[in-house]
Amino acid sequence: MQTSSNPGRRNFLRIAAITGGGLLLGFNWSDADASSSALLDVVGTAAPSVDFNSYLSINPQGIITILSPNPEVGQGIKTAFPIIVAEELDADWTKVVVEQAPLDTKKFERQVAGGSGSIPHSWQRLRKAGATARQMLLEAASKRWNVPLAECTTDKGFVLHTATNRKLSYGELATEAAKLPVPTEVKLKDQKDFKQIGSTVKNVDNPKIITGKPLFGLDFYREGMLFAMLQRPAFGYKLKSFNTAAVKAMPGIVDVVTFDNNIAIVGKSTWQVRKAKDALKIEWEKAGDLESTADHNRLFKELLDSKEATVRRKDGDVDSAFKSATKVVTAEYQCPFLPHSPLEPMNFFAHVRPDGVELVGPTQTPELARNETAKLLNISPDKVTVELTRMGGGFGRRLKADYVVEAVQVSKLVNAPVKVIWTREDDMTGGSYRPAVRYRFEAALDAQGNMIGYKLRGASINAGNSTREDNFPSGAVDNLLIDSVDHKSPITTGPWRAPITNFLAFAEQSFFDEVAQAAGKDPVQFRLELLDKAKQKPVGAIKYDIDRMKSVIQLAVEKSGWGKKKNVAQGFSVYFSHRSYVAQVGEVVMQKGKPVLQKVYSAADCGVVVNQSGAQQQVRGCVVDGIGHAMYGNITFKEGVPEQKNFNEYRLIRLNEIPEVEVHFVENGIDPTGLGEPSLPPAGGAVANAIFKATGKRLRSQPFVQEEVFKGVS
């Protein structure tokens, strides 16, 4: 494959490695991925394609173009969606080109990347799209050959008539097939006949990512566009004044505008705009409460003791259960605010014209971006187009459209196409954090060690309901009370990968281990007994699948050799979220008096696995994300101002701290459920429980690295 002479991300990596004398990464430019680029060259000179439906088209040369409508945030959806279509189409994957579809609410439903819901929502739709085109191709061949339809079959982009040893490519049949009536009903494949679903397929964007081709929002460039950066107020402040004239006079600066307490500097290059932003001298004034982390710590105690909590679920007579208990176990767990920390900070392009608005950039919710733009400008949503770029991470931050609206506002004010770019400091201090929460758990045990009572209160800062009241162990305990109380803060919060459950799972699973210890039972057996009780004598509604949860527990126990290893401390955790079930076992050893996480076993039940490569990486990524933030992540505030502004102050997990992650999937044949988030929640609990086994110390507050057991670890 011929490489470009223009310096890009690939060349930068090579040059940086040579000049810095550090890690040298090499790539094999002649591997199988090269065929993708060759295919794209073919498509460019091919005859026009004919459309079969919203998802796919085929040209006379047999090149199949499959549109992926949902945003690609690193979850692999741009590869997984086409695999499903191609499977039912019986396509030759080497002749498939994947393109990112723009926002189109008439052709597609739920163009959203969030809640691990893309595959579950579109599974049947995508299969039917591929199967419909395949049926039309079969009918076209049947008519051309004048043979019964039942005698025709398909394989790797061809229609076959075995009896006469004839075959036609999809390309040869495409034009006449597309003219046939669209069948109202089609037969989908049996899972036993799947060839591509469940196989290992490379991410379709890999060649472009490796060679530095423009894919991401930060890569987008339009001739003549301007660049803008904003200075936003801290929480509880408003803009009073700033040195407008001095900043406007700086080189390359086109304009300086203000709106909604924000200062926007607009210029001809990112460097000139950044220099001007650094030169700002701003006077802020108080506009509300100026909250600090110390205030939140005091608030948590008040909230946990409050009589104003909202009851989320109540089963049985909790008071009587605790009065009659032989033993009561109580513990509190706390997590801090966290930023999302995507590799690519927020950015977006907007061009507000008299006849409409063009939007281009990375968003998890393109329809929201369109609607918020239309609302702001008081125009019809039909006047707004949204083109999606690949995202360099999102984790829930890009579910919001605030940064999109900023670009629209600036474009309108300066009457020009504008790309708004956030700096890393903007990204870390700009709000929409994971909410801070403290939980109080109480468990009542009888003389046999059975849990006869259970209480959970979630006290949160801007989380709303910080519980998942119908998750396990609800339905397995005769007497149960789950409630929550929330403090409304000027510090803005939003969804963070596996919202609420990302911390709640750690707290619950750690507490279950504490209760199991008090009951004198193995932690795994303790959970299995509760699940058996929920199965045999359910209390109230059961809104999780008991058998699926037990199956991942059993798989994790088997693969990890639970309880059979010497000189290794094992910790267990299991959780249900986003329709899927994941059990994990963390393994910790002591080195130089400190606990070191060596390995995590992860057993997942997400139904049918579409792409083994993508699924494996999703699980591993979730585990690393969950462990890293539980161990190190922490944003604190002083009078409304975030104290951590960049990665020199905010700790992320490092490469040498990432353990081996062994992934296993339950094969049950059910339709796919979520996978982009469910493996994150149990990670913290598995690690914390393993560390307790190794050290005898319970970890109840995140980040773990601040606990005594890690004293001296940087």
Side-chain angles (χ1 to χ4, degrees):
M1 179 173 63
Q2 186 175 1
T3 59
S4 171
S5 60
N6 295 326
R9 285 190 297 270
R10 169 179 52 80
N11 284 335
F12 172 77
L13 284 172
R14 179 175 58 82
I15 294 166
I18 293 171
T19 58
L23 175 66
L24 179 63
L25 299 177
F27 301 102
N28 179 6
W29 300 114
S30 59
D31 67 6
D33 281 339
S35 61
S36 298
S37 294
L39 184 59
L40 290 173
D41 292 338
V42 172
V43 174
T45 59
S49 299
V50 290
D51 295 335
F52 283 81
N53 48 56
S54 299
Y55 294 96
L56 71 98
S57 62
I58 304 174
N59 76 2
Q61 282 68 38
I63 304 302
I64 301 166
T65 299
I66 300 180
L67 294 179
S68 183
N70 281 36
E72 175 57 72
V73 70
Q75 82 280 41
I77 207 70
K78 192 176 176 182
T79 305
F81 268 23
I83 287 174
I84 300 170
V85 176
E87 177 66 72
E88 291 292 347
L89 180 60
D90 245 356
D92 179 353
W93 186 254
T94 65
K95 293 186 177 180
V96 171
V97 172
V98 179
E99 293 183 359
Q100 177 68 60
L103 174 68
D104 191 331
T105 53
K106 294 178 181 177
K107 290 184 177 180
F108 307 111
E109 297 179 9
R110 197 190 179 276
Q111 284 185 270
V112 174
S116 299
S118 296
I119 294 292
H121 174 269
S122 298
W123 171 248
Q124 292 294 334
R125 293 171 176 82
L126 295 166
R127 294 184 69 189
K128 287 177 181 177
T132 299
R134 176 177 174 271
Q135 179 69 20
M136 295 167 74
L137 290 160
L138 283 165
E139 290 179 3
S142 170
K143 290 180 183 296
R144 184 187 289 194
W145 289 329
N146 193 27
V147 298
L149 179 64
E151 293 182 4
C152 299
T153 59
T154 58
D155 183 50
K156 292 185 179 180
F158 286 89
V159 178
L160 312 175
H161 188 245
T162 306
T164 58
N165 197 29
R166 286 183 288 181
K167 70 177 182 178
L168 288 167
S169 72
Y170 286 178
E172 293 173 282
L173 293 166
T175 301
E176 54 196 286
K179 295 176 182 177
L180 295 174
V182 178
T184 55
E185 291 188 12
V186 292
K187 183 179 179 181
L188 302 180
K189 283 186 178 181
D190 289 331
Q191 287 187 25
K192 63 180 176 59
D193 297 323
F194 284 169
K195 301 171 185 175
Q196 297 182 70
I197 291 176
S199 66
T200 297
V201 180
K202 295 178 182 179
N203 189 301
V204 296
D205 281 338
N206 278 355
K208 290 183 178 179
I209 293 172
I210 293 171
T211 57
K213 297 294 191 299
L215 276 176
F216 299 89
L218 282 176
D219 294 327
F220 178 80
Y221 178 77
R222 174 72 55 76
E223 189 69 33
M225 76 179 187
L226 299 174
F227 298 87
M229 291 184 182
L230 276 67
Q231 182 60 59
R232 304 161 187 83
F235 304 103
Y237 292 87
K238 66 179 180 179
L239 178 63
K240 185 176 182 181
S241 64
F242 67 100
N243 54 334
T244 313
V247 174
K248 274 189 175 182
M250 294 183 69
I253 301 306
V254 174
D255 205 348
V256 179
V257 295
T258 61
F259 60 92
D260 301 336
N261 279 322
N262 300 314
I263 304 168
I265 302 169
V266 187
K268 297 178 180 179
S269 74
T270 54
W271 176 250
Q272 291 169 322
V273 171
R274 177 60 193 260
K275 294 294 287 184
K277 184 185 179 194
D278 291 343
L280 281 172
K281 296 179 181 178
I282 308 171
E283 186 178 358
W284 304 100
E285 59 183 348
K286 182 179 177 182
D289 295 333
L290 306 181
E291 295 184 359
S292 301
T293 297
D295 300 322
H296 298 150
N297 290 334
R298 288 192 295 270
L299 268 170
F300 280 136
K301 186 179 186 310
E302 296 172 10
L303 295 172
L304 287 174
D305 293 334
S306 173
K307 296 181 180 180
E308 305 300 321
T310 300
V311 174
R312 303 295 177 178
R313 176 163 176 159
K314 186 175 182 180
D315 296 326
D317 189 339
V318 178
D319 290 340
S320 295
F322 275 84
K323 286 178 182 177
S324 65
T326 301
K327 186 181 292 185
V328 172
V329 183
T330 302
E332 293 182 10
Y333 297 81
Q334 184 169 324
C335 75
F337 288 98
L338 290 181
H340 294 78
S341 304
L343 183 62
E344 177 192 28
M346 302 302 107
N347 66 90
F348 226 82
F349 169 86
H351 188 187
V352 179
R353 308 182 308 266
D355 62 333
V357 182
E358 180 188 13
L359 300 176
V360 183
T363 171
Q364 294 178 243
T365 51
E367 187 175 4
L368 176 65
R370 183 188 70 175
N371 292 344
E372 289 294 301
T373 297
K375 180 180 177 182
L376 173 72
L377 301 178
N378 195 27
I379 61 175
S380 169
D382 293 338
K383 297 286 187 181
V384 183
T385 63
V386 185
E387 181 181 336
L388 305 177
T389 64
R390 190 180 177 96
M391 286 170 266
F395 315 111
R397 179 60 183 89
R398 287 186 160 98
L399 288 170
K400 291 191 171 185
D402 54 328
Y403 59 101
V404 181
V405 172
E406 287 178 351
V408 174
Q409 288 175 307
V410 177
S411 176
K412 183 175 187 298
L413 287 169
V414 301
N415 193 29
V418 171
K419 182 175 180 178
V420 165
I421 298 176
W422 290 33
T423 64
R424 173 58 59 195
E425 290 81 5
D426 293 333
D427 212 65
M428 197 164 286
T429 63
S432 196
Y433 302 104
R434 179 186 80 171
V437 187
R438 183 181 289 176
Y439 294 105
R440 177 182 290 164
F441 294 87
E442 298 175 70
L445 299 175
D446 64 14
Q448 289 73 45
N450 300 310
M451 189 161 67
I452 58 173
Y454 179 84
K455 290 195 283 188
L456 163 62
R457 169 166 293 186
S460 56
I461 312 293
N462 272 2
N465 178 13
S466 55
T467 74
R468 290 292 183 264
E469 62 273 11
D470 292 321
N471 278 10
F472 179 77
S474 293
V477 185
D478 291 331
N479 308 288
L480 174 143
L481 173 63
I482 297 177
D483 59 23
S484 67
V485 58
D486 189 55
H487 166 71
K488 300 302 179 186
S489 168
I491 298 172
T492 54
T493 60
W496 193 97
R497 194 175 190 179
I500 303 300
T501 60
N502 61 67
F503 176 75
L504 175 59
F506 152 70
E508 286 182 347
Q509 292 299 306
S510 296
F511 182 64
F512 288 162
D513 264 37
E514 294 202 43
V515 179
Q517 183 186 29
K521 298 179 179 180
D522 173 80
V524 172
Q525 191 58 37
F526 177 74
R527 290 165 173 83
L528 289 173
E529 287 177 4
L530 284 171
L531 287 168
D532 287 340
K533 184 178 185 305
K535 182 94 172 180
Q536 296 159 9
K537 295 181 179 180
V539 182
I542 302 285
K543 296 188 178 181
Y544 51 92
D545 190 309
I546 296 169
D547 292 331
R548 290 183 70 189
M549 184 171 278
K550 288 181 68 174
S551 71
V552 293
I553 292 174
Q554 291 158 356
L555 184 58
V557 165
E558 173 195 341
K559 297 300 182 181
S560 67
W562 174 259
K564 299 177 182 178
K565 296 182 178 180
K566 294 181 179 180
N567 302 318
V568 175
Q570 293 182 313
F572 181 81
S573 181
V574 62
Y575 212 71
F576 158 64
S577 68
H578 300 87
R579 300 167 295 277
S580 292
Y581 300 78
V582 180
Q584 292 173 356
V585 174
E587 293 188 340
V588 166
V589 297
M590 297 299 293
Q591 293 180 1
K592 298 180 180 180
K594 303 295 179 186
V596 175
L597 179 65
Q598 283 197 328
K599 187 169 184 175
V600 174
Y601 294 86
S602 187
D605 175 0
C606 59
V608 173
V609 173
V610 174
N611 181 8
Q612 281 289 338
S613 174
Q616 291 266 345
Q617 297 311 317
Q618 281 302 297
V619 174
R620 290 191 175 95
C622 278
V623 171
V624 173
D625 205 0
I627 292 169
H629 284 91
M631 288 288 296
Y632 307 109
N634 189 23
I635 280 278
T636 57
F637 297 85
K638 187 173 182 179
E639 295 186 342
V641 180
E643 294 187 289
Q644 295 78 27
K645 297 177 174 60
N646 208 319
F647 292 135
N648 61 320
E649 300 167 310
Y650 180 81
R651 178 82 151 83
L652 291 173
I653 192 170
R654 297 165 183 162
L655 282 174
N656 66 326
E657 294 163 339
I658 296 175
E660 178 187 354
V661 181
E662 186 174 309
V663 182
H664 299 276
F665 294 104
V666 173
E667 297 180 5
N668 53 20
I670 68 171
D671 285 357
T673 49
L675 190 58
E677 294 163 286
S679 295
L680 187 150
V687 174
N689 290 333
I691 290 172
F692 171 76
K693 285 276 189 69
T695 66
K697 304 291 184 183
R698 292 284 180 194
L699 302 178
R700 297 194 180 99
S701 293
Q702 293 184 3
F704 298 161
V705 75
Q706 293 183 354
E707 296 292 301
E708 183 69 23
V709 70
F710 288 104
K711 197 169 184 180
V713 177
S714 62

